Amino acid sequence: MRRKGELSPGMILRAHPWRVVFPEAEVNHDHMRGAGFYRSRALRSVTRLRQGVREVLICFADRADAVAFQRHAGGFVEGE
């Protein structure tokens, strides 16, 4: 369930095609705070379940921002 006006995960993934993926156990508040320094980042992260592992996707509209964040925080980049 989502509130009126809230972005759905699908909307975030369409608007921000570049993602830095982390296993859920490795993500903490510092990752989201660090992503806030990049202009093209999504306002919130998206979670998914893949092969029995829950992952957190921090999404970006620009590939350059996703790559720069990945160099800083780890994880791996996926996208278009």
Side-chain angles (χ1 to χ4, degrees), residues 16-58:
H16 300 83
W18 297 99
R19 302 172 277 286
V20 179
V21 181
F22 298 94
E24 186 178 49
E26 293 180 13
V27 176
N28 58 38
H29 181 69
D30 291 337
H31 285 94
M32 287 308 295
R33 191 170 54 194
F37 290 103
Y38 298 91
R39 191 172 295 203
S40 72
R41 56 86 173 89
L43 295 178
R44 63 184 187 97
S45 62
V46 175
T47 59
R48 72 176 177 201
L49 185 64
R50 188 160 86 174
Q51 298 177 352
V53 177
R54 186 168 298 278
E55 297 176 329
V56 176
L57 289 74
I58 300 176

Side-chain angles (χ1 to χ4, degrees), residues 60-75:
F60 297 87
D62 294 332
R63 183 182 186 281
D65 285 348
V67 170
F69 178 71
Q70 184 268 334
R71 284 188 200 136
H72 170 74

